[in-house]
Amino acid sequence: MIDIVTLDEHFIVVNKPSGLLSVPGRGPDKQDCLSARVQNEFPDALVVHRLDMETSGLMVFARGIEAQRALGRAFEQRNVHKRYEAIVEGLVASDAGTVDLPLICDWPNRPRQMVSHELGKPSTTHYAVVARDPLLARTRVSLIPVTGRSHQLRVHMAALGHPIIGDSLYAGTPPAPGERLLLHAAKLAFPHPVSGDAVNATSLVPF
C-alpha cells in the first residue's frame, strides 16, 4: 500500500514509512523498497532522490525520463525546498541557528559519515526550535538542509550536541528496541517538471 500525497501525470509525491528502504539494497532480502512499490503501481516512476531507511516522510518520483531530468536539475541547482521535523536529545539553547560543517564518509565505519574540515564536502543546515520539553530533556526542531549530504541532518545535530532520538549511528543513547528515528520529511517544494509552477507537498509528523 502506497501513501500517495500528490499524483500528477509527470510526478508522484508519496510518504515513505520509517524502516523501509528508498531503493533496493544488496541481496534478495533488501529488494522490498519504496521505489519498487511505487513502480509496481506506476511503471513509469523513476527515482529522483532518497531518504535514509529510518527516516519517514515525503519523496517525489518522476514519471518518465524527461521529468526525471527536470527534477534532477532542480535538486542539483538547489531549487527544491525541504523541511524536516525531528526530536533531539537535550534542550537546545538557541531558538534558531545554522550548522555549517563539512562531511565525508567514515570509510572504516560506513555508512557512518563524519565531520572533516580537511576532506569533507561543504554542508549546511538551518534549524529552529519548535518546542522544548524540560521534563524529558528533549527538543522538537525544524530542520532545513541547504545541501543534501548523506546523513547530513543526523550528523549535524549530533555535532551540535543534540543527536536525534532513536538514531542508531549517532545518538548518545542507543535506541530502545522498536524505537524509530524521530526524523520526518514534512515539507517538499519544487518546480513542476514541465510547467515550472511551484508544487508544495506537506506531510503530518507522525511523532
Side-chain angles (χ1 to χ4, degrees):
M1 185 70 179
I2 308 167
D3 182 5
I4 298 174
V5 177
T6 306
L7 181 59
D8 182 274
E9 63 179 313
H10 300 290
F11 67 87
I12 309 161
V13 179
V14 297
N15 250 326
K16 187 186 87 66
S18 175
L20 181 67
L21 288 166
S22 293
V23 297
R26 292 180 181 175
D29 59 327
K30 295 183 176 65
Q31 296 310 294
D32 181 29
C33 59
L34 186 61
S35 64
R37 294 183 185 185
V38 171
Q39 287 162 356
N40 187 54
E41 195 164 329
F42 302 94
D44 60 348
L46 297 171
V47 173
V48 178
H49 66 124
R50 306 178 186 188
L51 291 177
D52 291 346
M53 182 175 76
E54 298 93 338
T55 305
S56 59
L58 298 168
M59 277 183 65
V60 59
F61 288 84
R63 300 189 69 180
I65 190 68
E66 292 303 321
Q68 185 188 41
R69 287 173 181 153
L71 288 170
R73 281 194 301 272
F75 273 90
E76 289 169 12
Q77 296 168 2
R78 298 182 185 172
N79 291 327
V80 178
H81 177 82
K82 295 171 281 185
R83 188 182 74 78
Y84 294 73
E85 201 158 301
I87 298 179
V88 301
E89 294 181 13
L91 299 177
V92 178
S94 300
D95 288 341
T98 298
V99 183
D100 192 0
L101 292 170
L103 302 180
I104 190 172
C105 181
D106 183 2
W107 279 103
N109 301 298
R110 58 186 180 273
R112 282 180 61 96
Q113 308 292 307
M114 65 180 185
V115 174
S116 172
H117 292 280
E118 295 78 26
L119 302 172
K121 295 181 179 179
S123 57
T124 304
T125 302
H126 301 307
Y127 69 89
V129 169
V130 176
R132 296 180 180 90
D133 188 335
L135 199 62
L136 293 177
R138 294 179 171 186
T139 305
R140 182 179 292 271
V141 292
S142 172
L143 302 172
I144 297 176
V146 177
T147 50
R149 309 297 178 200
S150 181
H151 295 185
Q152 175 177 315
L153 301 179
R154 298 164 66 179
V155 180
H156 277 178
M157 295 313 294
L160 201 63
H162 298 284
I164 298 172
I165 301 292
D167 195 328
S168 60
L169 293 177
Y170 308 102
T173 306
E179 184 178 31
R180 61 155 292 182
L181 176 71
L182 298 185
L183 178 62
H184 183 76
K187 289 190 176 181
L188 186 64
F190 55 90
H192 190 284
V194 174
S195 68
D197 293 341
V199 178
N200 293 280
T202 59
S203 170
L204 289 175
V205 180
F207 50 78

